[in-house]
Amino acid sequence: MAAEGWIWRWGWGRRCLGRPGLLGPGPGPTTPLFLLLLLGSVTADITDGNSEHLKREHSLIKPYQGVGSSSMPLWDFQGSTMLTSQYVRLTPDERSKEGSIWNHQPCFLKDWEMHVHFKVHGTGKKNLHGDGIALWYTRDRLVPGPVFGSKDNFHGLAIFLDTYPNDETTERVFPYISVMVNNGSLSYDHSKDGRWTELAGCTADFRNRDHDTFLAVRYSRGRLTVMTDLEDKNEWKNCIDITGVRLPTGYYFGASAGTGDLSDNHDIISMKLFQLMVEHTPDEESIDWTKIEPSVNFLKSPKAPPFLLPQTTWTTPRGTSAAGP
């Protein structure tokens, strides 16, 4: 998909077990971004966290205490979701299944990082499997729907791990990871694999791997970063890095998956949330973060529908600083 656009990419270096990602080298290729809302500029810096800031009330870790339990209701699940001692299976490798798991407590952290240990696998051959996993930070929870087993027109953040190309004209290579931020006004278009509402994305070969696969999502001071560890090298690889993202506090973390005519096993092994210790200005601290509208402050789609406003685009060349203009 030929497009102009810019995004900041920054590798986090080696993936240390139990720790959030570390700073590492260099910007990567550019990716298209899409305008949702125009807001003031937000300055963002990658920050580091420590293992002692693991927030267990928002983490799903073996043994899965508190999953679906009335005595310790940290996580709830619905649909085809099945709990085992080793993984939470959102869908089995069967047609027309939907399942999800949701944290019971809203998250009031302004800066956070989520590590997800997951596995997508099945018997289907190339392009004969689907549909994928969605990771959520949204206002509503436990609402089934057509977007990877969860509701459309959501409020908040979604990261889609899509394994099947519905758009036969796409130039993307699947599996494909993409990000969407929504204030409830946008609908995810399955027929175009969410192309019109995608903020950024990357190809990621995570299906049917014979080793562990991980994804990390970091949100800090308006900067949203997605990294992967799919090669069994204990290293984070850059996927998505964008600024100008505004997300409220008080939303819920979750994961969902869906199958249609094609299917896969979609498993979550763990979800670990880390608090990032970041200083905010007095003006930022005075904001009621629960009232923030989910939004992104730029930029344009290569083939923008009429409701998307084209904006000036920038390209970050290889080998130059990713600190942005």
Side-chain angles (χ1 to χ4, degrees):
M1 178 170 61
E4 290 186 348
W6 72 272
I7 119 176
W8 299 351
R9 293 179 175 273
W10 201 265
W12 289 350
R14 292 186 61 78
R15 182 181 60 79
C16 301
L17 295 178
R19 292 197 63 190
L22 305 177
L23 288 174
T30 57
T31 296
L33 300 179
F34 295 77
L35 174 72
L36 293 185
L37 294 175
L38 289 172
L39 294 174
S41 176
V42 177
T43 302
D45 297 303
I46 285 292
T47 56
D48 189 21
N50 298 302
S51 58
E52 61 264 27
H53 298 128
L54 175 71
K55 308 301 287 185
R56 294 189 177 274
E57 66 271 27
H58 300 300
S59 297
L60 178 70
I61 305 172
K62 292 187 290 186
Y64 301 122
Q65 297 177 353
V67 177
S69 168
S70 59
S71 61
M72 191 178 176
L74 295 180
W75 294 81
D76 297 316
F77 58 91
Q78 67 176 7
S80 61
T81 303
M82 177 180 66
L83 177 65
T84 76
S85 62
Q86 298 302 312
Y87 54 81
V88 177
R89 177 153 293 168
L90 301 175
T91 75
D93 191 359
E94 300 174 7
R95 297 168 62 180
S96 302
K97 299 293 184 180
E98 293 180 353
S100 66
I101 185 165
W102 289 88
N103 192 203
H104 187 75
Q105 299 191 25
C107 178
F108 291 97
L109 301 178
K110 300 182 182 72
D111 305 90
W112 49 264
E113 182 171 317
M114 174 70 81
H115 292 188
V116 183
H117 182 187
F118 69 99
K119 187 174 183 64
V120 178
H121 57 108
T123 58
K125 303 302 181 182
K126 183 176 181 180
N127 290 339
L128 292 176
H129 48 78
D131 287 320
I133 293 176
L135 304 173
W136 304 95
Y137 176 68
T138 56
R139 185 188 68 184
D140 303 310
R141 60 189 290 271
L142 289 170
V143 183
V147 184
F148 297 89
S150 194
K151 68 169 293 185
D152 201 357
N153 297 99
F154 59 92
H155 288 74
L157 168 70
I159 298 97
F160 302 119
L161 288 71
D162 196 348
T163 57
Y164 182 75
N166 292 286
D167 183 2
E168 296 180 356
T169 65
T170 185
E171 297 177 12
R172 295 171 174 171
V173 178
F174 281 70
Y176 188 83
I177 298 174
S178 65
V179 165
M180 179 179 174
V181 172
N182 199 353
N183 64 358
S185 66
L186 299 176
S187 179
Y188 180 86
D189 186 353
H190 267 290
S191 66
K192 295 295 182 181
D193 302 308
R195 178 178 179 181
W196 299 127
T197 50
E198 174 195 332
L199 289 172
C202 74
T203 294
D205 187 13
F206 54 77
R207 183 180 181 270
N208 270 356
R209 306 305 293 262
D210 57 4
H211 52 259
D212 292 336
T213 50
F214 297 87
L215 180 140
V217 183
R218 171 180 286 188
Y219 179 69
S220 179
R221 301 195 69 196
R223 188 172 188 172
L224 179 69
T225 312
V226 178
M227 307 291 288
T228 61
D229 178 7
L230 309 176
E231 305 297 332
D232 200 26
K233 296 181 179 179
N234 197 33
E235 293 179 353
W236 291 120
K237 182 179 180 181
N238 55 298
C239 174
I240 295 166
D241 195 348
I242 57 179
T243 59
V245 178
R246 290 174 59 88
L247 297 174
T249 58
Y251 280 16
Y252 297 91
F253 288 104
S256 68
T259 66
D261 292 336
L262 303 174
S263 63
D264 257 338
N265 296 301
H266 298 98
D267 300 340
I268 299 292
I269 293 91
S270 68
M271 297 175 68
K272 299 179 180 180
L273 186 73
F274 297 88
Q275 180 179 8
L276 302 178
M277 307 309 293
V278 179
E279 290 186 6
H280 289 269
T281 67
D283 287 344
E284 290 172 335
E285 293 291 355
S286 68
I287 296 172
D288 185 350
W289 287 69
T290 64
K291 304 299 184 183
I292 291 175
E293 186 83 354
S295 60
V296 180
N297 71 347
F298 48 9
L299 49 82
K300 81 170 184 178
S301 160
K303 298 178 181 177
F307 61 88
L308 293 178
L309 303 178
Q311 299 291 304
T312 302
T313 61
W314 300 82
T315 299
T316 304
R318 292 179 180 271
T320 61
S321 171

